[in-house]
Amino acid sequence: MVIAGLTAVLFAGALAIGEGLGEIPPDIDWKAFFVVYTVIVFVPWGTPTIAAAVGATIAEGILDFFEGIEPDEPFGWTGYIVGFTVAGYFMKDPSNKVKLAIGAVLGAFIQFAIEGLSLIIISGDATSVYLTALAGNTVTHGIILGAIPLIPIVGALRGRMERVLAPAAQQAD
């Protein structure tokens, strides 16, 4: 619960800033996925990873509530849980920059692949709109606000974070 709460608070702050940047049509936005990825890197794979994914989903849900809940929201929430959980699988070794980058890009891709289905199913948009938004969000969430800030942040925090985690938290469950 602590991991979910911490992730929710940190990601909600990042989302609030990203919302101010607006969207690029058709549905490409700026979400600082590196915030969630940073938490995921420093918690053990498994339940703590899922807790961070749930925390990110809670943050998105709270902001969605204030913006107005739309029929497509469950697609996005499902995408957050699945995308961040899969990303966490690749981010088990903070020293491996390639796997951090793969996890960041793949997590963003999966998240919007699921969320973007609402463009076709609910909105009735063309597949080309879905693919454009999928590519755009993979770049903004997975690369620009994913892997690029994640790798130096993890490098700066490695060694420091492990010392503050309790020995029990360092064990994979």
Side-chain angles (χ1 to χ4, degrees):
M1 292 205 28
V2 172
I3 293 169
L6 173 68
T7 306
V9 169
L10 293 172
F11 194 49
L15 287 172
I17 293 167
E19 291 294 326
L21 298 174
E23 268 186 11
I24 302 168
D27 188 18
I28 302 166
D29 48 20
W30 303 92
K31 295 183 179 175
F33 274 27
F34 74 90
V35 172
V36 181
Y37 292 149
T38 302
V39 173
I40 287 172
V41 166
F42 293 108
V43 298
W45 162 250
T47 305
T49 305
I50 296 168
V54 168
T57 305
I58 290 168
E60 178 68 26
I62 290 169
L63 266 69
D64 289 341
F65 175 78
F66 287 113
E67 293 173 347
I69 300 291
E70 298 173 357
D72 67 336
E73 304 302 354
F75 287 88
W77 300 334
T78 303
Y80 276 104
I81 292 172
V82 175
F84 284 129
T85 301
V86 170
Y89 180 79
F90 285 89
M91 297 178 174
K92 294 187 287 188
D93 179 6
S95 67
N96 190 329
K97 294 176 184 178
V98 172
K99 283 194 174 183
L100 290 177
I102 290 169
V105 174
L106 185 60
F109 177 85
I110 291 170
Q111 188 280 323
F112 198 82
I114 296 170
E115 179 179 343
L117 288 175
S118 66
L119 294 171
I120 297 171
I121 296 170
I122 295 174
S123 302
D125 289 331
T127 304
S128 62
V129 172
Y130 168 74
L131 294 175
T132 300
L134 176 61
N137 281 298
T138 300
V139 169
T140 59
H141 303 160
I143 299 172
I144 297 171
L145 292 174
I148 291 173
L150 176 68
I151 292 169
I153 289 170
V154 169
L157 294 177
R158 273 192 66 224
R160 293 174 172 85
M161 290 303 295
E162 289 86 347
R163 287 194 304 264
V164 298
L165 291 174
Q170 295 177 26
Q171 304 292 326
D173 59 343

